[in-house]
């Protein structure tokens, strides 16, 4: 694949339109398709607004913006994507709908066209199972907003041809994105490892150790995270965040580390989605005063190390189970969710044995499987080793 490769994007929603803009900016002709013709037409306005902003900021010239828009055309049927060399699907997150779309795409493309899914939570292998040539199906997982977030997870399914993996990775690299390769496992890297940031913070709140504002303050102040877990859940949306947790938990056969919380489920049921609905963990209505944290240093440090230890345990387990390389696990969390440091590097800085002891203490205190230290962490702590 090269700049001449025509890129097809199926689904012109938040992700599809962002990915279309990224591909067109990289110099490709792009064909965007959606079943909803009104939404498809609206995406043209989205491109114009986005690119106008870049022109106003002086990041691109007016001429470049015009060229980028000129490279995107709107398709009115699957037939319009028959000349594409790569198709990225970004439609609704439902397995049966995606499988039907993939079967249809296969019929309308040449045998050497790579067909990818931007799914966040479905298995690439299960999507590929509806196809006649599963070796050309792959996951290309962008982060929202695709135009701004540098990370892209590349996920080969069980039957993906290794050559297709290399070709896909090098193309997305050429778009200026940072790619990492992840096994076809629930949540891939980011949506799996990040679960503890939310889950352990909610657990700390549920135990009455601290309130939302104090936990957010602790993670920002001592950890250097840009947003605290509760601010971030409200920003992502408690509907989206809760459903991702629930899906990851189910797909891991009810692994206790990923267990969703009743606290967030209740917010989801009450439609307290966060910023977009005006209320979530915090109240965003006009005139509402955000609560002040209790800036108790001893408490703050304790909260931060507990959440960090859980995050590192998940990163270590991902490495142990060969989900990805240590570099890719660290890169994914920094470029996909803006963590200030890679978690495995962070473990080395604090000391692997310190993290291990923290987890052992939690495991001993609660007797719950979610706190069991990963076997790799334990081995490394006992042998005095570090990740790098
Ligand atoms: P969205 O709801 O904004 O857009 C989905 C689009 O697909 C809609 O325009 C809809 O009309 C269209 N569509 C539905 N069925 C279709 C079909 N059969 N053929 C053609 N078009 C169809 O959804 P969003 O947020 O863009 O997500 C799309 C995919 O990207 C999902 O798989 C999601 O899991 C994944 N994703 C979403 C992220 C996010 O933060 N929103 C981040 C990363 C991945």
């Amino acid at each position: 694949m090269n700049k001449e490769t025509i890129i097809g994007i199926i689904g012109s929603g938040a992700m599809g339109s962002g990915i279309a803009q990224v591909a067109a900016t990289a110099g490709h002709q792009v064909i965007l398709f959606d079943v909803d013709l009104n939404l498809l037409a609206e995406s043209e306005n989205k491109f114009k607004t986005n690119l106008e902003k870049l022109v106003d900021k002086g990041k691109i010239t007016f001429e470049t913006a015009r060229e980028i828009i000129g490279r995107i055309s709107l398709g009115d049927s699957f037939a319009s994507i028959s000349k594409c060399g790569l198709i990225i699907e970004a439609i609704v997150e439902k397995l049966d709908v995606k499988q039907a779309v993939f079967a249809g795409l296969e019929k309308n493309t040449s045998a050497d066209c790579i067909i990818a899914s931007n799914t966040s939570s479905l298995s690439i292998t299960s999507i590929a199972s509806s196809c006649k040539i599963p070796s050309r199906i792959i996951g290309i997982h962008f982060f929202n907003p695709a135009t701004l977030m540098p990370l892209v997870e590349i996920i080969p399914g069980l039957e993906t041809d290794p050559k297709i993996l290399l070709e896909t990775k090098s193309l997305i690299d050429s778009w200026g994105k940072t790619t990492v390769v992840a096994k076809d496992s629930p949540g891939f890297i980011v949506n799996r490892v990040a679960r503890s940031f939310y889950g352990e913070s909610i657990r700390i709140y549920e135990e009455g150790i601290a309130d939302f504002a104090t936990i957010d303050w602790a993670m920002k102040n001592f950890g250097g995270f840009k947003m605290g877990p509760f601010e971030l859940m409200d920003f992502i949306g408690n509907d989206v965040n809760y459903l991702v947790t629930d899906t990851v938990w189910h797909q891991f056969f009810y692994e206790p580390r990923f267990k969703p919380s009743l606290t967030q489920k209740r917010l989801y049921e009450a439609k307290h989605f966060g910023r977009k609905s005006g209320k979530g963990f915090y109240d965003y209505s006009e005139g509402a005063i955000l609560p002040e944290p209790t800036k108790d240093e001893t408490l703050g440090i304790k909260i931060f190390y507990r959440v960090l230890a859980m995050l590192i345990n998940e990163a270590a387990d991902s490495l142990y189970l060969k989900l990805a390389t240590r570099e890719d696990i660290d890169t994914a969390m920094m470029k996909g969710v803006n963590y200030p440091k890679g978690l495995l590097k962070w473990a080395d800085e604090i000391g692997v044995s310190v993290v291990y002891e923290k987890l052992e203490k939690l495991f001993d205190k609660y007797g719950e499987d979610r706190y069991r230290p990963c076997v790799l962490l334990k081995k490394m702590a006992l042998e005095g080793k570090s990740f790098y």
Side-chain angles (χ1 to χ4, degrees), residues 118-384:
N118 185 52
T119 180
S120 305
S121 62
L122 300 171
S123 124
I124 301 302
T125 306
S126 66
I127 295 172
S129 70
S130 64
C131 296
K132 290 208 173 76
I133 318 175
S135 58
R136 60 161 158 166
I137 312 298
I138 194 161
I140 306 184
H141 184 221
F142 286 81
F143 287 75
N144 194 11
T147 47
L148 296 180
M149 295 304 287
L151 188 74
V152 179
E153 292 177 323
I154 310 280
I155 309 108
L158 196 67
E159 299 196 66
T160 307
D161 184 335
K163 273 190 273 170
I164 301 247
L165 167 62
L166 288 180
E167 234 184 295
T168 307
K169 182 171 160 51
S170 100
L171 183 80
I172 306 295
D173 281 336
S174 78
W175 293 2
K177 292 292 181 188
T178 304
T179 54
V180 293
V181 178
K183 242 191 197 172
D184 188 10
S185 166
F188 312 128
I189 304 173
V190 172
N191 279 333
R192 171 198 192 141
V193 176
R195 299 270 62 78
S196 314
F197 188 64
Y198 315 113
E200 199 54 24
S201 302
I202 297 176
R203 172 71 188 251
I204 290 169
Y205 159 77
E206 284 178 342
E207 285 183 31
I209 295 170
D211 56 22
F212 308 139
T214 303
I215 300 169
D216 277 348
W217 165 76
M219 297 312 291
K220 288 188 288 185
N221 195 54
F222 300 104
F225 288 90
K226 286 200 180 119
M227 286 174 101
F230 297 99
E231 289 170 326
L232 188 54
M233 284 183 276
D234 274 356
F235 181 76
I236 295 169
N238 285 304
D239 46 347
V240 174
N241 193 268
Y242 171 72
L243 291 175
V244 173
T245 306
D246 194 51
T247 307
V248 170
W249 178 59
H250 274 98
Q251 291 194 14
F252 271 113
F253 312 112
Y254 308 105
E255 163 60 53
R257 291 201 310 275
F258 304 118
K259 198 162 117 184
S261 68
L262 287 173
T263 298
Q264 196 178 28
K265 186 169 191 226
R266 293 292 174 264
L267 291 184
Y268 170 65
E269 289 165 347
K271 299 191 172 53
H272 290 185
F273 297 148
R275 282 190 175 272
K276 64 185 169 191
S277 68
K279 204 169 185 188
F281 289 105
Y282 296 107
D283 186 351
Y284 300 93
S285 55
E286 226 183 288
I289 298 164
L290 288 176
E292 283 296 318
T294 307
K295 292 185 179 172
D296 173 336
E297 199 156 306
T298 314
L299 175 67
I301 290 173
K302 210 172 151 193
I303 292 168
F304 160 59
Y305 276 110
R306 176 164 163 181
V307 177
L308 183 66
M310 293 296 277
L311 282 166
I312 291 172
N313 203 32
E314 204 50 58
D317 205 51
S318 302
L319 180 66
Y320 180 61
L321 297 176
K322 303 189 172 38
L323 181 71
T325 63
R326 65 178 180 190
E327 287 82 6
D328 278 4
I329 293 171
D330 275 358
T331 302
M333 303 315 287
M334 288 192 294
K335 303 283 183 184
V337 268
N338 285 325
Y339 282 15
K341 288 179 201 170
L343 292 167
L344 300 174
K345 206 151 236 145
W346 215 337
D348 286 354
E349 268 178 43
I350 302 167
V352 172
S353 58
V354 173
V355 179
Y356 169 67
E357 276 158 27
K358 175 88 207 154
L359 288 161
E360 271 288 271
K361 268 195 197 144
L362 287 166
F363 185 50
D364 190 47
K365 179 175 173 188
Y366 293 103
E368 288 177 49
D369 258 0
R370 69 191 259 125
Y371 298 108
R372 187 191 297 276
C374 157
V375 67
L376 175 65
L377 203 69
K378 179 175 182 176
K379 188 168 178 290
M380 287 174 59
L382 297 180
E383 291 173 0

